[in-house]
Amino acid sequence: MTELLSSYASGQWQSGNGSGTSLYDPVRGTELVRVDAAGLDLAAAFAFARHSGGAALRALTYAQRAALLGAASKVLQANRDAYYEISTANSGTVKNDTAVDVDGGFYTLSTYAKIGESLGNSHYLHDGEPTRLGKDPLFQSQHVLTPTRGVALLINAFNFPSWGMWEKAAPALLSGVPVIVKPATTTAWLTQRMVKDVVDAGIFPAGAISVICGSSAGLMDQLEPFDVVSFTGSADTAAIIRSHPAVTKISVRVNIEADSVNSALLLPNEALGSEAIDLLVKEVAREMTVKSGQKCTAIRRVLVPEHLYDSVAQALSARLAKTTVGDPRNENVRMGAIVNRAQFNAVRDGLSYLKAQAEVLHDGSTHALAVDDAAIACCVGPTLLGTTDANGSDIADRVHNTEVFGPVATLVPYRNNDLSHALQLIRRGQGSLVASVYGSDPVALGEAIPELTDSHGRVHVISPDVGAIHSGHGNVMPQSVHGGPGRAGGGEELGGLRALNFYHRRAAVQASTAVLTQLK
Ligand code: NAP
């Protein structure tokens, strides 16, 4: 029997009383560890976090809590090798892809440690300046932001067991709000190990951080009015969370990050051979293959003028053909596995669904797999589809509303010299996390931006001058907002100090100027 990972709740490591759910190596098929949350006293765990953890965190200042984040980041960095091993085994990722998750988590944590310092020794925040309420300036209104007196339930998707936890936990803990982390079962091991290292190092006060490994059953039922839920995962699970009585009846605040059919757009008037086209091709190929396309921000639709369809298809296919796929332990492998058999099957089914409305420009199934047993390994090569012409792009509704969570993208030609057609096709994604735009003319790029910012959480604009230094279409930077309207979930995370808003309550204080000056 493999190890049964314990959960950390009520300030103690505890095991569930069931036989557990197994976690597997997606390349070799071996069982790694098990998780089980059956029988855990969730009510006690939430009460302990809410009362003991919350009180201890709120007693600290922002700067003190920022220092704790910095200390946690150092502890995690010291254990980096162990996280890489777990990630290789459980997520099937090559080193560069592990870095996106593991080092991305460190970076986010240390960024919040730094920006948190700037908030100094206060216990709550001012929101704006005092505003007079009548003719007499003596009686004014000042808004303040106070840490919510509850717990933050952080529910994460399988694809970012490290970054996904820390991008939520860092702003929550900096705000003074205790966290209960629920990792996705498939990849819970890395999250559990990181929490264990931080707990063992005794950095945070008791109750500040807990982790529940196993089923999500009963978690939402524990929530009380001042608690918050931050969820990342599928639209289907998001709908269950949104309709839970905790949200509908007692107004538990909820943030949803869901799936998204993100776009990359090449502006009209780029001549064949232009640097902007090269930059687009490079980035699309990278986005399709990083983490085997299992990124919520990955490029799914590539919009190019119709006359460039064939040449961009060829350039992309040539790049994708060079991707070696297989066991991440093999030094020659550039792209690892899909996380498990169920996701592998979902990618295969999703591809068949899209293929009914698109042609295959590069077929991932032709890639030789560098694995011991191709029948066991959840590996698949990158596939580029295409809607053939502008009319096909209009007809192919599946391409605009289906996220295939794997190394799959579709080339979507728009009518030559008709940017409005491209924008109309992009909007059929019904709100996305990110769009990237490629072009050489700053004026044309500047005009396109406000056409995209209404339906995207982030717009990543690439002109040749930033070609070598940009942060990447799919990389979520803690300085920039992450989230998107509509089908992307309507959520908003990160964005520097903006992230703290979710974990604070805004109140208007109406008082005399003399009293307001007492608010520190
Ligand atoms: P999922 O199946 O929806 O699961 C997400 C999380 O919700 C897991 O921790 C899961 O636990 C938990 N969960 C399941 N049922 C629940 C319930 N009834 N109540 C509370 N929690 C519940 O999603 P996934 O397959 O892990 O992730 C893939 C999806 O996430 C993709 O669609 C991707 O686009 C999206 N994603 C979005 C972002 C973003 O930032 N927008 C980032 C990454 C991924 P169990 O694993 O134990 O079932």
Side-chain angles (χ1 to χ4, degrees):
M1 279 277 239
T2 53
E3 181 191 347
L4 184 64
L5 296 181
S6 28
S7 294
Y8 189 67
S10 300
Q12 299 168 30
W13 289 101
Q14 336 181 3
S15 295
N17 57 21
S19 55
T21 304
S22 301
L23 277 59
Y24 292 95
D25 181 322
V27 177
R28 297 181 171 176
T30 43
E31 186 179 321
L32 301 168
V33 289
R34 289 168 301 129
V35 294
D36 185 60
L40 294 185
D41 187 346
L42 295 179
F46 275 69
F48 184 75
R50 200 178 281 124
H51 301 302
S52 301
L57 283 171
R58 286 194 305 275
L60 303 173
T61 65
Y62 291 95
Q64 286 170 326
R65 294 192 292 260
L68 299 186
L69 296 186
S73 170
K74 284 203 182 99
V75 165
L76 294 171
Q77 287 182 43
N79 290 292
R80 187 169 177 264
D81 291 349
Y83 307 147
Y84 269 60
E85 267 174 42
I86 293 173
S87 202
T88 304
N90 192 194
S91 293
T93 42
V94 296
K95 280 192 183 134
N96 282 349
D97 294 354
T98 298
V100 180
D101 184 33
V102 170
D103 298 69
F106 301 165
Y107 178 62
T108 304
L109 202 47
S110 55
T111 301
Y112 274 94
K114 274 195 206 101
I115 60 179
E117 254 176 54
S118 68
L119 297 175
N121 291 323
S122 52
H123 293 272
Y124 56 90
L125 303 170
H126 285 59
D127 176 27
E129 298 297 320
T131 311
R132 54 201 257 190
L133 293 170
K135 273 192 193 152
D136 192 327
L138 185 61
F139 190 61
Q140 301 201 80
S141 173
Q142 167 72 57
H143 290 87
V144 293
L145 291 161
T146 316
T148 194
R149 214 169 261 257
V151 72
L153 172 60
L154 310 180
I155 304 176
N156 287 325
F158 70 79
N159 57 339
F160 281 107
S162 164
W163 175 82
M165 162 172 55
W166 295 117
E167 63 109 12
K168 294 181 192 301
L173 293 166
L174 178 59
S175 298
V177 179
V179 300
I180 295 183
V181 181
K182 159 68 182 95
T185 293
T186 310
T187 55
W189 190 12
L190 178 58
T191 308
Q192 193 262 10
R193 174 61 199 266
M194 288 181 143
V195 172
K196 184 162 186 337
D197 288 340
V198 168
V199 167
D200 287 352
I203 293 168
F204 294 107
I209 183 161
S210 310
V211 62
I212 305 291
C213 302
S215 162
S216 58
L219 285 175
M220 291 289 295
D221 301 335
Q222 310 307 324
L223 296 172
E224 295 186 355
F226 302 117
D227 297 336
V228 301
V229 188
S230 185
F231 169 83
T232 297
S234 65
D236 290 345
T237 313
I240 295 173
I241 286 175
R242 274 206 182 91
S243 54
H244 191 278
V247 179
T248 57
K249 294 219 165 93
I250 54 169
S251 310
V252 163
R253 187 182 279 172
V254 59
N255 189 76
I256 303 280
E257 298 293 348
D259 57 9
S260 172
V261 194
N262 311 297
S263 311
L265 166 65
L266 180 69
L267 288 188
N269 302 324
E270 288 300 324
L272 201 59
S274 90
E275 211 178 327
I277 298 180
D278 286 350
L279 288 166
L280 167 104
V281 167
K282 201 169 149 199
E283 191 63 4
V284 172
R286 207 173 67 83
E287 279 294 307
M288 285 177 70
T289 52
V290 169
K291 286 181 71 70
S292 302
Q294 299 168 102
K295 270 180 28 255
C296 53
T297 50
I299 297 169
R300 307 292 178 197
R301 296 177 295 159
V302 187
L303 289 102
V304 297
E306 208 170 16
H307 72 100
L308 290 173
Y309 179 73
D310 289 336
S311 40
V312 171
Q314 277 166 21
L316 263 173
S317 300
R319 268 191 176 263
L320 294 173
K322 289 187 201 145
T323 311
T324 42
V325 185
D327 192 327
R329 297 162 188 90
N330 178 332
E331 292 283 305
N332 298 320
V333 164
R334 296 279 309 282
M335 189 172 98
I338 300 292
V339 76
N340 59 24
R341 185 57 49 184
Q343 286 296 318
F344 180 86
N345 292 340
V347 170
R348 201 190 45 198
D349 294 349
L351 258 173
S352 309
Y353 184 72
L354 291 184
K355 277 184 196 169
Q357 296 184 340
E359 62 176 328
V360 178
L361 298 170
H362 177 82
D363 186 353
S365 66
T366 60
H367 282 244
L369 302 179
V371 294
D372 288 343
D373 189 341
I376 289 178
C378 300
C379 293
V380 60
T383 293
L384 181 69
L385 302 174
T387 52
T388 314
D389 55 28
N391 190 36
S393 303
D394 284 332
I395 294 167
D397 56 313
R398 293 181 179 186
V399 167
H400 302 296
N401 63 29
T402 310
E403 179 201 55
V404 178
F405 210 56
V408 179
T410 307
L411 196 55
V412 179
Y414 62 89
R415 288 190 293 273
N416 293 327
N417 299 317
D418 188 353
L419 179 62
S420 66
H421 184 220
L423 295 167
Q424 180 200 325
L425 292 168
I426 288 175
R427 287 193 191 106
R428 285 174 66 181
Q430 298 177 65
S432 301
L433 294 171
V434 52
S436 53
V437 193
Y438 302 79
S440 312
D441 176 7
V443 176
L445 287 166
E447 282 170 5
I449 290 169
E451 299 295 332
L452 292 164
T453 42
D454 58 332
S455 54
H456 294 80
R458 179 162 61 85
V459 176
H460 181 75
V461 185
I462 302 306
S463 43
D465 55 337
V466 294
I469 56 162
H470 70 85
S471 50
H473 165 107
N475 287 345
V476 177
M477 304 300 286
Q479 299 85 349
S480 301
V481 155
H482 171 61
R487 73 166 285 162
E492 194 177 284
E493 294 181 323
L494 300 173
L497 289 174
R498 288 173 190 83
L500 274 58
N501 286 339
F502 182 70
Y503 301 98
H504 284 73
R505 300 283 161 183
R506 182 183 288 107
V509 181
Q510 300 174 328
S512 83
T513 306
V515 173
L516 290 180
T517 56
Q518 299 304 307
L519 298 178
K520 298 287 189 289

